[in-house]
Amino acid sequence: MKTYRMPADSSDYRKMPKLLIEKIEALVRETSKPDEPLSTSSSIGGGGPKWVQGNDAMKLLPVALAALVTRQARQVFMGGGASMVSGVDRLRADVSGLSDEDRRAMALVSRARLVEGLSDIGAEIHQLLAICKQPLGEWLPVAAVKDAGLNSVRLIDAEDRMPTLEAEELAVGFSGVTGLLEEQVFAAFQDALSKQPTKDADEYYSQARAFVVRNPVIQRSKMFRFYGRLPTPVWTCIDQQFYEPLPAGLVAGDEATLCSHCGNIMVVSGRALRCTTAACCAEHGPHPGSTVPSTDLYRLNKSLRKYWFEPGIDELRLADKLEALGHKVRLYPNRDTVDLDLGEGSVVGIDLKAYSSPELLGERLKRRPGGLRTYKKPLLVIPDWLARRVPNYIDRLSACLEGSAIRALTLRDAVEEIGHA
Ligand SMILES: [Zn+2]
């Protein structure tokens, strides 16, 4: 079999024979048809020209790609970490290969880019996953991405090499694997809590989660001081599942530098040190951290960093501001009905979200308002740094939330509106 995939400026580049080009074009036209049940008459409802139907299939592109990314992550992280992503594996049953569904998603990416006259990134899984760290709008400039407000969305987090919360949101109901990573990590914790009286369990949950957000990196000896306040099964679970020894690569000699704002590890970036928390860097400029002895240092594992710690930075910021105004803030009440409220019987319930795409967030909240719907005054709060960064964020989000009781506002406006206790 011959390959014609050398770059056009390569000395090995060969032009495809005209016959082959025609065959491929015919195949592309053929596969452009959306997968739909065979209809006895294609003229029902007018149908429209073939290329419009092809575009319909293209609308699935962002969702299919997000599902591909979450499936790959699931293989890598749930397969014991030993699986590898292989682009050449032809065995259907092999868990570390690419499924037919994966290949269909990759083909959609290839087609979208080729149609735009861009290089074929979709054909090679490693290359495709690598570019998923960039905002979609930068490398997939197609209507399906732009129209859905997804230009700013990254599917993979560059720091942690994990699907972003937005990738998971897109893949909801498409892949069926969403939340599985989280479920696995937190199942033992929920199980330990479920054996406690409900009221206590709620309290332990809030305590553990707030602790995690305040202590992304911690000396083990300090952990023990906190755990003394929790029942042994809950304590054991946090100790064994949530924290891992700090990797040697993040430590300079026998010292590690922690961010003075959020307590996370700092890494060398260019000539300076940079905090590894995105929500922290977005709000604060460079700041010298504090050095601590690296022995006995533990950090949160990937899932905890992603689901609790990173979103928690802004949640704590808001909680601290409201507490300064005299409110008795409850973080993650009733085991996470909402991110925070203002005590038992509170009218106000607040979720804080930092999706880069207001459209994606609005759609999600409209579809699944979750615990917010149990409050008389449900507020959806956006970090100030995000509202500054994305043009018309609140207006775009509010437009998507039309008809819903949920109101969207920035963190600063929320604090002002709630005011003194
Ligand atoms: Zn920080």
mmCIF file of all heavy atoms in Angstrom, residues 82-102:
data_model
loop_
_atom_site.group_PDB
_atom_site.id
_atom_site.type_symbol
_atom_site.label_atom_id
_atom_site.label_comp_id
_atom_site.label_asym_id
_atom_site.label_seq_id
_atom_site.Cartn_x
_atom_site.Cartn_y
_atom_site.Cartn_z
ATOM 1 N N ALA A 82 -1.187 1.576 32.966
ATOM 2 C CA ALA A 82 -0.186 0.891 32.163
ATOM 3 C C ALA A 82 -0.580 0.822 30.686
ATOM 4 O O ALA A 82 0.216 0.456 29.850
ATOM 5 C CB ALA A 82 0.021 -0.517 32.692
ATOM 6 N N SER A 83 -1.817 1.187 30.379
ATOM 7 C CA SER A 83 -2.246 1.098 28.988
ATOM 8 C C SER A 83 -1.528 2.139 28.139
ATOM 9 O O SER A 83 -1.094 3.161 28.636
ATOM 10 C CB SER A 83 -3.738 1.372 28.877
ATOM 11 O OG SER A 83 -4.430 0.739 29.887
ATOM 12 N N MET A 84 -1.383 1.855 26.878
ATOM 13 C CA MET A 84 -0.839 2.878 26.005
ATOM 14 C C MET A 84 -1.828 3.151 24.886
ATOM 15 O O MET A 84 -2.624 2.300 24.509
ATOM 16 C CB MET A 84 0.496 2.451 25.431
ATOM 17 C CG MET A 84 0.462 1.151 24.671
ATOM 18 S SD MET A 84 2.034 0.848 23.888
ATOM 19 C CE MET A 84 1.840 1.743 22.388
ATOM 20 N N VAL A 85 -1.763 4.358 24.377
ATOM 21 C CA VAL A 85 -2.645 4.706 23.282
ATOM 22 C C VAL A 85 -1.957 4.299 21.995
ATOM 23 O O VAL A 85 -0.864 4.756 21.696
ATOM 24 C CB VAL A 85 -2.918 6.224 23.278
ATOM 25 C CG1 VAL A 85 -3.790 6.592 22.110
ATOM 26 C CG2 VAL A 85 -3.569 6.625 24.583
ATOM 27 N N SER A 86 -2.582 3.423 21.271
ATOM 28 C CA SER A 86 -1.948 2.937 20.061
ATOM 29 C C SER A 86 -2.787 3.284 18.860
ATOM 30 O O SER A 86 -3.985 3.044 18.827
ATOM 31 C CB SER A 86 -1.785 1.421 20.151
ATOM 32 O OG SER A 86 -1.601 0.895 18.860
ATOM 33 N N GLY A 87 -2.157 3.872 17.868
ATOM 34 C CA GLY A 87 -2.892 4.268 16.680
ATOM 35 C C GLY A 87 -2.897 3.191 15.622
ATOM 36 O O GLY A 87 -3.490 3.334 14.562
ATOM 37 N N VAL A 88 -2.213 2.084 15.851
ATOM 38 C CA VAL A 88 -2.113 1.066 14.805
ATOM 39 C C VAL A 88 -2.752 -0.254 15.205
ATOM 40 O O VAL A 88 -2.771 -1.201 14.441
ATOM 41 C CB VAL A 88 -0.631 0.787 14.430
ATOM 42 C CG1 VAL A 88 -0.025 1.986 13.756
ATOM 43 C CG2 VAL A 88 0.176 0.391 15.652
ATOM 44 N N ASP A 89 -3.277 -0.287 16.427
ATOM 45 C CA ASP A 89 -3.853 -1.532 16.907
ATOM 46 C C ASP A 89 -5.116 -1.874 16.138
ATOM 47 O O ASP A 89 -6.048 -1.086 16.064
ATOM 48 C CB ASP A 89 -4.190 -1.389 18.399
ATOM 49 C CG ASP A 89 -4.280 -2.733 19.064
ATOM 50 O OD1 ASP A 89 -4.753 -3.663 18.387
ATOM 51 O OD2 ASP A 89 -3.872 -2.838 20.217
ATOM 52 N N ARG A 90 -5.179 -3.048 15.559
ATOM 53 C CA ARG A 90 -6.349 -3.404 14.761
ATOM 54 C C ARG A 90 -7.276 -4.358 15.490
ATOM 55 O O ARG A 90 -8.290 -4.777 14.969
ATOM 56 C CB ARG A 90 -5.897 -4.056 13.459
ATOM 57 C CG ARG A 90 -5.390 -3.044 12.466
ATOM 58 C CD ARG A 90 -4.572 -3.730 11.403
ATOM 59 N NE ARG A 90 -4.054 -2.726 10.489
ATOM 60 C CZ ARG A 90 -4.734 -2.283 9.447
ATOM 61 N NH1 ARG A 90 -5.923 -2.757 9.189
ATOM 62 N NH2 ARG A 90 -4.222 -1.369 8.669
ATOM 63 N N LEU A 91 -6.888 -4.771 16.707
ATOM 64 C CA LEU A 91 -7.733 -5.724 17.430
ATOM 65 C C LEU A 91 -8.904 -4.994 18.061
ATOM 66 O O LEU A 91 -8.729 -4.124 18.890
ATOM 67 C CB LEU A 91 -6.910 -6.433 18.518
ATOM 68 C CG LEU A 91 -5.769 -7.299 17.986
ATOM 69 C CD1 LEU A 91 -4.931 -7.812 19.137
ATOM 70 C CD2 LEU A 91 -6.322 -8.459 17.177
ATOM 71 N N ARG A 92 -10.115 -5.368 17.658
ATOM 72 C CA ARG A 92 -11.294 -4.687 18.156
ATOM 73 C C ARG A 92 -11.451 -4.811 19.668
ATOM 74 O O ARG A 92 -11.906 -3.924 20.329
ATOM 75 C CB ARG A 92 -12.538 -5.281 17.509
ATOM 76 C CG ARG A 92 -12.822 -4.697 16.167
ATOM 77 C CD ARG A 92 -13.793 -5.571 15.423
ATOM 78 N NE ARG A 92 -13.796 -5.229 14.018
ATOM 79 C CZ ARG A 92 -14.591 -4.315 13.512
ATOM 80 N NH1 ARG A 92 -15.426 -3.687 14.277
ATOM 81 N NH2 ARG A 92 -14.547 -4.029 12.234
ATOM 82 N N ALA A 93 -11.082 -5.972 20.202
ATOM 83 C CA ALA A 93 -11.345 -6.231 21.608
ATOM 84 C C ALA A 93 -10.278 -5.638 22.522
ATOM 85 O O ALA A 93 -10.436 -5.625 23.720
ATOM 86 C CB ALA A 93 -11.440 -7.728 21.851
ATOM 87 N N ASP A 94 -9.198 -5.161 21.930
ATOM 88 C CA ASP A 94 -8.102 -4.686 22.755
ATOM 89 C C ASP A 94 -8.446 -3.345 23.404
ATOM 90 O O ASP A 94 -8.757 -2.377 22.726
ATOM 91 C CB ASP A 94 -6.859 -4.511 21.882
ATOM 92 C CG ASP A 94 -5.611 -4.372 22.729
ATOM 93 O OD1 ASP A 94 -5.638 -3.603 23.709
ATOM 94 O OD2 ASP A 94 -4.640 -5.042 22.425
ATOM 95 N N VAL A 95 -8.383 -3.291 24.748
ATOM 96 C CA VAL A 95 -8.812 -2.077 25.434
ATOM 97 C C VAL A 95 -7.872 -0.905 25.181
ATOM 98 O O VAL A 95 -8.245 0.232 25.368
ATOM 99 C CB VAL A 95 -8.925 -2.277 26.967
ATOM 100 C CG1 VAL A 95 -10.100 -3.177 27.283
ATOM 101 C CG2 VAL A 95 -7.641 -2.808 27.556
ATOM 102 N N SER A 96 -6.625 -1.186 24.788
ATOM 103 C CA SER A 96 -5.696 -0.072 24.630
ATOM 104 C C SER A 96 -5.646 0.423 23.186
ATOM 105 O O SER A 96 -4.870 1.298 22.863
ATOM 106 C CB SER A 96 -4.295 -0.481 25.088
ATOM 107 O OG SER A 96 -3.824 -1.516 24.274
ATOM 108 N N GLY A 97 -6.470 -0.110 22.316
ATOM 109 C CA GLY A 97 -6.479 0.355 20.930
ATOM 110 C C GLY A 97 -7.521 1.444 20.708
ATOM 111 O O GLY A 97 -8.061 1.997 21.641
ATOM 112 N N LEU A 98 -7.769 1.725 19.450
ATOM 113 C CA LEU A 98 -8.774 2.723 19.119
ATOM 114 C C LEU A 98 -10.050 2.012 18.685
ATOM 115 O O LEU A 98 -10.001 1.085 17.888
ATOM 116 C CB LEU A 98 -8.257 3.600 17.975
ATOM 117 C CG LEU A 98 -7.088 4.523 18.329
ATOM 118 C CD1 LEU A 98 -6.441 5.053 17.066
ATOM 119 C CD2 LEU A 98 -7.549 5.667 19.202
ATOM 120 N N SER A 99 -11.166 2.461 19.205
ATOM 121 C CA SER A 99 -12.438 1.835 18.831
ATOM 122 C C SER A 99 -12.920 2.408 17.500
ATOM 123 O O SER A 99 -12.388 3.413 17.019
ATOM 124 C CB SER A 99 -13.481 2.099 19.915
ATOM 125 O OG SER A 99 -13.809 3.472 19.912
ATOM 126 N N ASP A 100 -13.940 1.793 16.935
ATOM 127 C CA ASP A 100 -14.526 2.323 15.708
ATOM 128 C C ASP A 100 -15.041 3.741 15.930
ATOM 129 O O ASP A 100 -14.930 4.612 15.078
ATOM 130 C CB ASP A 100 -15.686 1.424 15.254
ATOM 131 C CG ASP A 100 -15.179 0.095 14.727
ATOM 132 O OD1 ASP A 100 -13.953 -0.025 14.522
ATOM 133 O OD2 ASP A 100 -15.993 -0.822 14.532
ATOM 134 N N GLU A 101 -15.602 3.925 17.127
ATOM 135 C CA GLU A 101 -16.133 5.244 17.481
ATOM 136 C C GLU A 101 -15.009 6.285 17.487
ATOM 137 O O GLU A 101 -15.167 7.408 17.006
ATOM 138 C CB GLU A 101 -16.789 5.149 18.867
ATOM 139 C CG GLU A 101 -17.700 6.289 19.213
ATOM 140 C CD GLU A 101 -18.834 6.488 18.213
ATOM 141 O OE1 GLU A 101 -19.487 5.498 17.830
ATOM 142 O OE2 GLU A 101 -19.034 7.640 17.819
ATOM 143 N N ASP A 102 -13.852 5.891 18.034
ATOM 144 C CA ASP A 102 -12.692 6.788 18.052
ATOM 145 C C ASP A 102 -12.298 7.166 16.628
ATOM 146 O O ASP A 102 -12.026 8.321 16.316
ATOM 147 C CB ASP A 102 -11.492 6.113 18.731
ATOM 148 C CG ASP A 102 -11.731 5.862 20.204
ATOM 149 O OD1 ASP A 102 -12.567 6.564 20.793
ATOM 150 O OD2 ASP A 102 -11.075 4.959 20.766
#
